[in-house]
Amino acid sequence: MESRTAGLGLGQLLLALDRTMVTLVEAPRGLDMPVASVALVDADDVRLGLAVGPGSADLFFLLGVDDVDAVRWLERQFSGTGRVPTAIFVKEPSPAAVERAVALGTAVVAVEPQARWESLYKLVNHAFDHHGDHGDPHHDPGTDLFGLAQSMADRTRGMISIEDEDSHVLAYSASSDEADELRRLTILGRAGPPEHLAWLAQWGIFDALRSGTDVVRVDQRPELGLRPRLAVGIHLPDAKAGRFAGTVWLQQGSAPLADDVEEVLRGGAVLAARIMSRLSASPSTHTRHVQELLGLSGDSVDVAAVARELGIEVEARSALIGFVDPAGTTPANVISLSASAFRPDAQVTSSSGRVYVLLPKIGAPSSVMSWVRGVVATLDRELGLSLRAVVAAPLAGLAATATARAEVDRVFDSAQRHPGAIGHVASLDDARTTVLLDEIVSRIGQRLVDPRIRQLREQDPVLAETLGAYLDGFGDITAVAQRLHVHPNTVRYRIRRVEKLLSTSLNDPDDRLVLALGLRATES
């Protein structure tokens, strides 16, 4: 997925990410190089020699691939284009990879080995969207959690982190050498050490944060390497009278805290709640543009203008994939990572619990379908998620994406009504008949059902089942008998009884259509 912003340099981005997570190794062109987009290079990119456009991304994450091979791949991709990536991010870069990257003119950023790529990806995109140049008149300080965290750290003389209700880090201030293991691992996107979390839960600290707005003090535990902390819950002022939304944590170092530290923390929690509300209500500019292309904004859109803003082609063959987890929240960040690894220009957004991936330029639709099956299978195997995906491909340019998204939603709506009717991965064409029939039957409802069908179901369910099998089997007595596991003469006898009870002939095509739809509409 590609994200774009204005006025953000590589140095500013690295400051936002913090030395706990990343360390600059080399920057041959300096730290003022602008950065606005990120993409992944994985083993398949290198192994298959997949191509990327020279303007596809400013930053590349080298994920699960030998760094020297990945840099060599980048050299081939950008050779002769006049443009090279601003930086590559790699865990434990080798001297050979650093040398080749510097020769290419690309900065090398070392990622802490324990950092989770999805967390880093999320933080980089957050920096693009909400942590730009504060001198920019378009910058809104009311949506900058990182700026709030740093301001609170400066005022309190502590290290601040802001987490959501599931203890995932949203923003943090700069870390000093006194950052303890819990803070370091939390920023890296790893779960805190079990003994730390168990101790916090045992003493009722999480319960206190959820139930009130008082500042909670957490004593140090030298045996766990846990330094003193203060914390306060973030509560959103909504219909639920202060729904718990997260926590502001302050880790104390050797410096004494400000006298009014508790007052600053309580005020910071209020501001964090406001920012979180605004961020949830107001998506980033990039997200708004993608949602406009998919027809999710409700407004008419100049497709060509939006495509220019996103830096993608308008007329190329494209694809749209929808993902949904029927049992819970669809993991947008994880899907974004996979989409970016598959195509650097992938655009991802979510709405109403569904995640949509727009691939502006594709080759064979079969490769898209293969990738989607791989994502669904991997998330099932590694995260235990049972995702459903619908693929619309190929599309004749971006102008067709809004219609395709509406069609994908129709498939999801139909699958929600009839979970077993559509497989976990389906193309739009494969699902079309099932969806149309479901929608026709749903609109028929009980009001337009032939009353004889209801009567038949009530009086003799076996005859109703036989009639359905007979109509579905185009009157092939032998096939119907095999399906019902009865003798063909039994089927003939039942059909004669049906015709007698309904006072009709099943030779009439209009009668067959009405009866078939009625049976579908009254299925339990």
Side-chain angles (χ1 to χ4, degrees):
M1 184 176 73
E2 187 178 330
S3 300
R4 297 189 173 276
T5 186
L8 185 63
L10 176 61
Q12 292 174 300
L13 176 65
L14 296 180
L15 286 175
L17 295 177
D18 190 72
R19 61 181 177 177
T20 297
M21 182 166 278
V22 297
T23 303
L24 178 67
V25 179
E26 292 283 354
R29 292 185 290 166
L31 294 176
D32 293 329
M33 293 297 297
V35 290
S37 56
V38 58
L40 277 74
V41 177
D42 68 4
D44 285 340
D45 292 321
V46 175
R47 179 173 57 85
L48 301 175
L50 298 179
V52 296
S56 60
D58 299 318
L59 310 176
F60 281 90
F61 290 176
L62 305 189
L63 180 59
V65 60
D66 179 85
D67 57 1
V68 175
D69 289 340
V71 174
R72 188 180 297 114
W73 176 81
L74 284 172
E75 287 174 332
R76 290 198 301 269
Q77 299 298 315
F78 289 90
S79 176
T81 66
R83 190 182 189 281
V84 297
T86 298
I88 57 172
F89 285 60
V90 59
K91 293 184 178 181
E92 300 178 313
S94 65
V98 173
E99 182 180 354
R100 295 185 76 106
V102 170
L104 185 64
T106 296
V108 179
V109 178
V111 178
E112 164 62 38
Q114 295 189 70
R116 297 184 69 92
W117 283 109
E118 60 265 32
S119 297
L120 180 59
Y121 185 83
K122 179 180 179 181
L123 290 170
V124 167
N125 278 284
H126 189 283
F128 288 160
D129 291 337
H130 306 294
H131 198 69
D133 183 358
H134 289 212
D136 187 340
H138 297 293
H139 172 75
D140 180 8
T143 58
D144 187 0
L145 281 174
F146 277 92
L148 173 63
Q150 190 58 53
S151 296
M152 293 176 68
D154 294 340
R155 280 282 285 108
T156 61
R157 298 194 289 275
M159 286 173 277
I160 297 291
S161 60
I162 301 174
E163 300 178 3
D164 65 14
E165 58 187 316
D166 296 318
S167 298
H168 298 147
V169 172
L170 300 175
Y172 47 83
S173 64
S175 297
S176 72
D177 294 335
E178 298 176 311
D180 64 17
E181 189 72 356
L182 180 57
R183 174 178 173 85
R184 195 177 72 85
L185 289 177
T186 303
I187 289 176
L188 292 175
R190 302 284 176 179
E195 59 271 24
H196 290 187
L197 300 179
W199 185 82
L200 292 172
Q202 176 185 346
W203 284 90
I205 291 167
F206 291 130
D207 291 337
L209 293 171
R210 284 176 166 79
S211 61
T213 57
D214 292 336
V215 173
V216 177
R217 289 185 175 267
V218 182
D219 294 333
Q220 66 178 342
R221 291 292 300 270
E223 72 278 16
L224 296 177
L226 188 68
R227 290 179 175 270
R229 273 176 169 70
L230 278 70
V232 62
I234 302 169
H235 296 267
L236 300 181
D238 61 9
K240 296 181 181 179
R243 178 175 66 84
F244 177 74
T247 306
V248 177
W249 290 94
L250 179 152
Q251 187 220 301
Q252 185 175 350
S254 58
L257 297 177
D259 293 337
D260 59 349
V261 60
E262 292 195 10
E263 182 179 343
V264 174
L265 286 177
R266 285 193 295 269
V270 172
L271 289 177
R274 292 176 183 171
I275 292 174
M276 291 165 71
S277 295
R278 289 170 186 165
L279 290 176
S280 62
S282 303
S284 68
T285 301
H286 175 88
T287 299
R288 285 199 302 272
H289 285 327
V290 178
Q291 291 181 343
E292 287 169 352
L293 281 181
L294 301 189
L296 292 168
S297 65
D299 301 322
S300 58
V301 58
D302 184 336
V303 173
V306 172
R308 282 195 300 271
E309 290 291 328
L310 294 173
I312 56 180
E313 295 186 30
V314 178
E315 301 298 336
R317 290 202 320 170
S318 57
L320 179 72
I321 306 98
F323 293 89
V324 68
D325 180 4
T329 303
T330 311
N333 287 329
V334 177
I335 292 173
S336 294
L337 273 170
S338 183
S340 178
F342 179 60
R343 289 287 187 275
D345 60 351
Q347 313 293 318
V348 183
T349 190
S350 58
S351 177
S352 302
R354 297 168 181 176
V355 175
Y356 304 94
V357 176
L358 171 62
L359 304 176
K361 187 177 182 180
I362 65 168
S366 58
S367 66
V368 176
M369 186 65 77
S370 178
W371 169 71
V372 174
R373 290 196 180 99
V375 171
V376 172
T378 299
L379 296 187
D380 179 26
R381 182 178 62 254
E382 296 184 0
L383 301 179
L385 298 175
S386 183
L387 292 185
R388 192 184 305 279
V390 178
V391 180
L395 304 177
L398 297 185
T401 55
T403 300
R405 193 272 313 162
E407 293 295 310
V408 167
D409 279 346
R410 288 174 64 188
V411 178
F412 285 147
D413 293 340
S414 177
Q416 191 172 359
R417 291 189 292 267
H418 305 284
I422 299 169
H424 283 286
V425 178
S427 72
L428 200 57
D429 291 337
D430 290 341
R432 198 177 303 278
T433 298
T434 301
V435 172
L436 286 173
L437 180 57
D438 171 57
E439 291 178 346
I440 290 169
V441 169
S442 297
R443 293 183 182 183
I444 288 174
Q446 293 296 318
R447 188 174 63 87
L448 296 178
V449 173
D450 189 323
R452 295 176 298 175
I453 290 295
R454 286 196 294 270
Q455 232 173 10
L456 184 65
R457 282 200 181 278
E458 293 170 2
Q459 293 178 1
D460 198 326
V462 173
L463 289 184
E465 180 189 18
T466 302
L467 174 59
Y470 180 82
L471 294 172
D472 288 346
F474 303 101
D476 186 332
I477 296 295
T478 302
V480 174
Q482 290 176 348
R483 173 178 170 182
L484 298 177
H485 305 292
V486 298
H487 194 277
N489 287 340
T490 302
V491 175
R492 294 187 182 95
Y493 169 72
R494 290 179 183 178
I495 292 301
R496 286 197 296 270
R497 285 191 60 198
V498 167
E499 290 181 320
K500 184 175 181 179
L501 287 172
L502 300 185
S503 300
T504 190
S505 169
L506 295 181
N507 292 324
D508 188 308
D510 292 340
D511 282 340
R512 290 199 303 271
L513 176 61
V514 170
L515 294 173
L517 291 174
L519 286 169
R520 294 292 183 104
T522 55
E523 285 179 344
S524 56

